[in-house]
Amino acid sequence: MYLPIFAASASLLVGVAHGYASPGSCSGACNVHDPSLIRRESDGRYFRFSTGNKISYASSSSIAGPWTTIGSMLPHGSSIDLAGNTDLWAPDVHLVNGVYYVYYSVSTFGSQKSAIGLATSTTMNSGTWKDHGSVGITSDSTKLYNAIDPNLIKAGGNYYMNFGSFWDDLYQAPMKSTPTASASSSHNIAFNPSGTHAEEGAFMYEHGGYYYLFYSAGICCSYDTSKPASGAEYKIKVCRSKYPTSGFVDASGVACTNGGGTTVLESHGTVYGPGGQGVFTDPTHGPVLYYHYVDTTIGYADSQKRFGWNAIDFSSGWPVV
């Protein structure tokens, strides 16, 4: 997501790097922040969820569009009551036992008073979403983490929730066998000890015997009013492990809990500040990295951010776009 606005620590440019491919084409409703992507089993239609409008969502016949806006997932907001914190952010969509789950964040910008919620639908059609409220992962000023930017993964028959933003960065909590609630306490999986600990937006993806922990590092937002120093803007990094719960290192072997992180995608050409990413297995393109970014030929405002995607090459053992 995008909490809080601080200066980012120095980028760790390790390993595979470079020239980056331009984002894949997008038509229709392509302005988006913190996208999350899924393909409906019944008809192959794509659905994209994003920050704003009580979780905005859109659909398309392909990842490239044309994207058509459906509206708000939870037009009446969340049942989570955080005393005025009503913004819904950073959705994460999955199919769980035939039901579509969308996890979301409740917070306000710059606040650590946050919670992760859940809504479900069997079809993803407008008006069919049921809000389940909190999954039990919350934060306040007494916690080491900020409970936003949820990401669910199923590994070895178990569900885990990755989350976190700044403070002590990225955490993980085991979830119940039906992942509507956390099962036990959380532990740290990534931390940058320098600067303002500018890491958030975890997304875990299993490929080739490894669990890849993608995340966003740097300053995400308000580039139109306060552009960060060169290199301090958002970028996408990754660490990997043979296990879903610990041991994540970058391409140089540096632990992700000690500042490790290999850059996957950063500003290049007319692409600025890519982040808020996820990974999707597309039937045509294979593994795809999707994200939001600023197109510098259009504008730097948060409302002008665009939906980007690139096919991922894992042939080196590390994701390359």
Side-chain angles (χ1 to χ4, degrees), residues 73-74 94 96 99-104 118-125 127-133 179-180:
M73 184 184 76
L74 294 176
H94 299 270
V96 178
V99 178
Y100 294 97
Y101 281 47
V102 174
Y103 299 93
Y104 59 85
L118 169 66
T120 61
S121 170
T122 57
T123 64
M124 295 191 288
N125 292 334
T128 65
W129 292 96
K130 178 182 178 180
D131 181 37
H132 298 267
T180 57

Side-chain angles (χ1 to χ4, degrees), residues 237-293:
K237 293 188 175 186
V238 72
C239 291
R240 74 179 189 183
S241 174
K242 285 285 188 179
Y243 309 99
T245 58
S246 63
F248 295 93
V249 299
D250 67 15
S252 295
V254 180
C256 217
T257 51
N258 192 32
T262 295
T263 300
V264 180
L265 185 65
E266 60 191 334
S267 299
H268 63 100
T270 59
V271 172
Y272 182 80
Q277 74 294 318
V279 181
F280 172 74
T281 305
D282 188 87
T284 301
H285 304 284
V288 166
L289 178 73
Y290 61 86
Y291 50 92
H292 68 242
Y293 71 100

Side-chain angles (χ1 to χ4, degrees), residues 16 151 153 162 170 172 189 201-215 237-246 248-251 256 262 264 277-279 287 289 312-320:
V16 290
N151 167 241
I153 186 168
N162 306 304
L170 307 182
Q172 182 184 90
I189 56 174
F203 191 99
M204 197 175 291
Y205 183 74
E206 184 180 5
H207 182 83
Y210 286 96
Y211 293 91
Y212 291 85
L213 177 62
F214 294 83
Y215 61 93
K237 293 188 175 186
V238 72
C239 291
R240 74 179 189 183
S241 174
K242 285 285 188 179
Y243 309 99
T245 58
S246 63
F248 295 93
V249 299
D250 67 15
C256 217
T262 295
V264 180
Q277 74 294 318
V279 181
L289 178 73
I312 303 174
D313 180 0
F314 277 104
S315 61
S316 69
W318 290 90
V320 176

Side-chain angles (χ1 to χ4, degrees), residues 1-4 33-34 51 89 109 148-149 165 200 220-221 234:
M1 183 50 194
Y2 42 83
L3 291 182
H33 204 126
D34 304 324
T51 291
W89 295 340
F109 200 95
I148 67 169
D149 293 1
S165 169
E200 57 188 359
C220 73
C221 308
Y234 241 20

Side-chain angles (χ1 to χ4, degrees), residues 147-193:
I148 67 169
D149 293 1
N151 167 241
L152 184 76
I153 186 168
K154 186 177 184 182
N158 299 312
Y159 288 102
Y160 303 94
M161 179 66 72
N162 306 304
F163 65 94
S165 169
F166 288 76
W167 280 272
D168 276 10
D169 293 338
L170 307 182
Y171 276 70
Q172 182 184 90
M175 299 291 283
K176 293 184 177 180
S177 56
T178 300
T180 57
S182 58
S184 62
S185 60
S186 60
H187 65 277
N188 184 243
I189 56 174
F191 178 64
N192 181 353

Side-chain angles (χ1 to χ4, degrees), residues 14 38 42 97 116:
V14 184
I38 199 167
S42 62
N97 299 324
I116 292 171

